Amino acid sequence: MASSTTDGESATARAKLHGRAFYESIGSPKFVLAPMVDQSEFAWRMLTRSFMTPAENSKLLAYTPMFHARLFEEAPKYRSSHFEATKPDPSTSGAVVSNPASAPTNSDQIPQTVPFLDGNPMFDRPLFVQFCANDPEHLLAAAKLAAPYCDAVDLNLGCPQGIARKGHYGAFLQEDQELVFKLINNLHKNLPIPVTAKIRILETKEDTLAYAKNVLAAGASIITVHGRRREQKGHLTGVADWEYLRYLRENLPKETVIFANGNILQHGDIERCLEATGADAVMSAEGNLSDPAIFAEPPPPGQEGREYWRGKDGKGGYRVDAVFRRYMDIIHKYVLQHEPPARRPLFIVGDDETWLAEGKAQDAEQEEGPARKKRKKDGGGGGKNEKCTSPNLVAIRPHLFHLLRHFISKHTDVRDALARCHIADVPAVEKVLDMVERRIAEGLIEYERTGGKSIEEPEPEPKVRESTAPAEALKTESAEDADFDPESSVATVKKCKRPWWIAQPIIRPLPKEALANGSISLGKKEKKKQGLAAKAAAEGDVNEASEKENKGLEEELPKPDGVAGIKEPTMDSKRPTLAADELVCG
């Protein structure tokens, strides 16, 4: 990545705006693509933008993945493998200058560069670059390197991972409000572009308000609030509390720009969130990974085309083979810098079906795959012993496993074929795309042949009970559903359920459900506590045992991050529909 270009200099030379004036200068975005660890890279941002009309695109703001400030500043290899803002000018030669301070004083010796991917003003703006940090000077130095290629720099104060606790950054800075102020204020005073911040809610609304006021007083132009606490992650994620965001909206100055984050599973959730919270914009992370078209308005009935499918019940969504195609075309065109391969029109029922039979032999070859030793020796599609460093190529497989989660739970052969693909082995991924397209064509044909019965499956009935939650809290959920239960994910699963060929959200079980079905288990300390309670009850201390029982299961849930030995398993082949626990957004 270069740090000195004509475009960059002109970008940072503009007058620095603050707060709502800055927000309005970038188009008052309503939709925000979240910063996601290694997963909000350029190609995925472009895929998200591709589903939106020019008018909608003008309302979309995107974030880079979270970068480590000190590494970004000190390690050119880290910087170049995560942020590809420029490339050498084809008409000149020479390496890219990574630090303007190290550039030759003779301007004739400075290598010429041109905009490349990240922050390219032609197609990747507005863009915020996010950093995690705990040292104001490291953060400022890193931010200055990124400043020419973005519209603002964001400080991550929401990452709840154990590694963030160990490194003392993200959500583990929230107890050190003085340091939080210094980090933001140093950027505000010395950076040529605005600074923003992303936080999580604290235990009480009052504490969260004080936290937000500190962030804004330090100089943050925009504050993003994730409506979950630090301990809410993995199978303990639960539901984001939109009431906290409403409280902030009502108690912060009216000119404050607030982005809401949490509970965005489908397009319809965006307006619900804006109405419930009063926020200026809505940020989506996991919902976007499952459906990158989440911000786009669905086409009206009768205008679906080949990419969007609508069922006999009126429910629909973008087909995963259509999304997969768009994604690969972006990889070819922008990342690999060549034209995408010629493709047949996306199949719809009524098209010629002879190509389906022709591809079965290819499936058998793909399922068997090349020998492991040969694949390792050849280095996949990237050349012998060549390590891929492009963030856009490295992210392909993780993105596809997320996008195709519902698809591969049914078609495990496709899952296995994708797993065999080497990093950056684009030809192998193209073969997987071909498999996906043919499976979906077969599924669509069967759907029409059976009148829609081919996708029917038993649905678990939601547990209907009187809720003790206040009515205001229920407004953040599907209150219009008569069978809604705030302690069950069944109604949400039913609402979001689509055929396996449609891009759709992955619904996590709520904490009580996860504990009940074995997705998480109590640690030794919690089991010991239960044993003592049982012993006390057996000895006749009925009142004490009853009191503990009445406290509810939430009092018995183990604390996160291994404090009480909680076990949060990742997805495996025996449990293909289990939601992954890896953090994508703080």
Side-chain angles (χ1 to χ4, degrees):
M1 180 204 77
S3 296
S4 180
T5 67
T6 302
D7 290 340
E9 290 172 353
S10 63
T12 56
R14 295 193 302 265
K16 180 178 176 179
L17 300 176
H18 182 74
R20 188 160 294 276
F22 164 64
Y23 174 66
E24 292 173 351
S25 76
I26 58 173
S28 301
K30 175 181 176 182
F31 314 108
V32 185
L33 174 54
M36 295 177 280
V37 179
D38 295 331
Q39 292 191 294
S40 58
E41 79 294 342
F42 168 81
W44 196 257
R45 299 195 298 266
M46 286 297 291
L47 177 63
T48 300
R49 297 183 195 276
S50 75
F51 287 97
M52 306 180 74
T53 65
E56 291 172 331
N57 251 307
S58 67
K59 297 296 183 181
L60 175 66
L61 162 68
Y63 283 64
T64 66
M66 181 190 75
F67 302 140
H68 191 289
R70 181 179 58 78
L71 293 177
F72 196 90
E73 174 203 0
E74 297 177 350
K77 287 185 177 180
Y78 174 89
R79 192 160 61 247
S80 63
S81 65
H82 288 79
F83 196 61
E84 300 177 308
T86 64
K87 65 178 181 179
D89 189 332
S91 63
T92 63
S93 60
V96 176
V97 177
S98 298
N99 191 327
S102 65
T105 55
N106 185 344
S107 60
D108 293 337
Q109 299 178 22
I110 299 177
Q112 299 299 305
T113 61
V114 294
F116 187 32
L117 302 178
D118 294 289
N120 190 314
M122 296 296 293
F123 41 70
D124 193 31
R125 294 294 185 94
L127 178 70
F128 289 5
V129 174
Q130 188 187 68
F131 290 104
C132 66
N134 57 23
D135 181 278
E137 295 310 314
H138 282 310
L139 176 59
L140 178 61
K144 284 183 174 180
L145 290 173
Y149 313 105
C150 62
D151 297 281
V153 166
D154 185 78
L155 176 62
N156 181 306
L157 294 170
C159 181
Q161 291 280 50
I163 191 172
R165 179 177 58 186
K166 183 178 180 181
H168 191 53
Y169 61 80
F172 296 93
L173 295 183
Q174 64 191 32
E175 284 82 15
D176 193 345
Q177 290 294 314
E178 182 179 354
L179 177 56
V180 167
F181 185 94
K182 289 179 179 178
L183 288 166
I184 297 173
N185 192 245
N186 195 39
L187 292 185
H188 176 57
K189 289 181 176 179
N190 300 296
L191 198 64
I193 59 176
V195 56
T196 65
K198 184 172 187 289
I199 69 172
R200 283 183 172 237
I201 62 173
L202 302 182
E203 279 302 313
T204 68
K205 293 178 180 178
E206 293 74 18
D207 288 345
T208 305
L209 177 61
Y211 187 10
K213 285 182 175 179
N214 184 51
V215 167
L216 294 167
S221 283
I222 297 172
I223 185 169
T224 300
V225 184
H226 188 160
R228 293 183 175 93
R229 296 174 181 82
R230 184 171 60 195
E231 62 271 17
Q232 289 182 269
K233 62 176 186 176
H235 283 296
L236 294 180
T237 297
V239 177
D241 194 334
W242 286 351
E243 285 297 306
Y244 270 64
L245 279 78
R246 169 58 72 176
Y247 181 80
L248 294 181
R249 175 77 286 170
E250 293 175 349
N251 289 275
L252 288 172
K254 291 183 179 181
E255 66 271 15
T256 303
V257 181
I258 302 175
F259 293 168
N261 181 211
N263 298 354
I264 308 301
L265 299 175
Q266 296 179 306
H267 181 77
D269 295 330
I270 295 172
E271 288 299 331
R272 287 180 47 244
C273 181
L274 290 172
E275 182 179 352
T277 64
D280 295 278
V282 172
M283 175 181 284
S284 175
E286 287 191 343
N288 171 265
L289 290 180
S290 298
D291 180 9
I294 191 169
F295 296 122
E297 190 72 33
Q303 299 181 27
E304 293 84 359
R306 291 178 178 263
E307 291 188 312
Y308 194 94
W309 180 90
R310 189 172 269 115
K312 299 181 184 301
D313 60 358
K315 295 180 179 180
Y318 279 91
R319 292 165 44 172
V320 292
D321 54 346
V323 179
F324 197 160
R325 268 196 184 191
R326 285 198 185 206
Y327 182 40
M328 294 309 297
D329 285 351
I330 288 169
I331 293 292
H332 285 289
K333 180 179 179 180
Y334 293 97
V335 180
L336 301 179
Q337 298 279 285
H338 62 229
E339 287 300 311
R343 306 188 191 279
R344 74 176 69 84
L346 205 63
F347 178 86
I348 58 175
V349 176
D351 287 352
D352 180 37
E353 301 175 15
T354 55
W355 65 280
L356 290 174
E358 295 171 357
K360 289 187 177 180
Q362 298 177 16
D363 273 5
E365 180 182 347
Q366 180 71 7
E367 288 172 23
E368 183 176 339
R372 180 175 295 275
K373 289 183 179 179
K374 186 175 187 299
R375 295 204 324 273
K376 185 176 181 180
K377 179 180 178 181
D378 292 343
K384 184 176 180 179
N385 296 325
E386 182 180 338
K387 183 179 180 181
C388 174
T389 60
S390 167
N392 297 286
L393 297 180
V394 170
I396 290 176
R397 282 201 319 174
H399 275 308
L400 293 178
F401 272 116
H402 203 118
L403 174 68
L404 300 173
R405 174 64 66 84
H406 297 278
F407 179 100
I408 61 178
S409 66
K410 178 178 179 64
H411 298 285
T412 56
D413 59 325
V414 177
R415 178 197 65 197
D416 296 340
L418 180 58
R420 285 193 297 269
C421 292
H422 256 270
I423 293 176
D425 191 350
V426 173
V429 176
E430 285 285 350
K431 291 181 180 179
V432 175
L433 170 57
D434 185 62
M435 295 176 69
V436 170
E437 289 186 1
R438 280 184 280 111
R439 293 293 188 281
I440 291 179
E442 293 165 355
L444 293 173
I445 292 170
E446 185 67 9
Y447 178 87
E448 292 298 329
R449 188 188 68 79
T450 62
K453 294 183 178 180
S454 62
I455 62 169
E456 291 181 357
E457 56 185 57
E459 291 184 348
E461 289 298 322
K463 176 183 175 183
V464 181
R465 66 170 184 79
E466 290 187 13
S467 173
T468 57
E472 290 77 12
L474 299 184
K475 291 180 182 177
T476 64
E477 296 303 319
S478 301
E480 68 271 18
D481 293 340
D483 55 5
F484 172 69
D485 179 353
E487 296 185 2
S488 171
S489 62
V490 172
T492 303
V493 170
K494 184 177 180 180
K495 173 188 172 185
C496 297
K497 183 70 174 176
R498 299 290 186 273
W500 48 265
W501 56 79
I502 298 299
Q504 57 192 289
I506 300 169
I507 310 300
R508 293 178 184 271
L510 293 177
K512 292 184 179 181
E513 296 172 310
L515 187 61
N517 66 28
S519 296
I520 57 176
S521 59
L522 295 177
K524 292 181 180 179
K525 291 182 180 179
E526 293 299 321
K527 289 179 179 179
K528 182 178 180 180
K529 186 187 297 184
Q530 284 192 345
L532 292 174
K535 183 178 179 181
E539 291 175 352
D541 196 353
V542 180
N543 291 334
E544 181 180 349
S546 177
E547 182 180 351
K548 287 187 176 182
E549 182 179 354
N550 289 335
K551 285 184 178 179
L553 186 57
E554 56 270 20
E555 293 294 327
E556 298 298 321
L557 285 174
K559 296 185 183 300
D561 271 331
V563 175
I566 185 170
K567 299 174 183 177
E568 298 179 354
T570 55
M571 176 185 173
D572 59 46
S573 58
K574 296 179 180 178
R575 308 173 77 179
T577 60
L578 180 65
D581 293 324
E582 288 79 2
L583 174 79
V584 296
C585 180

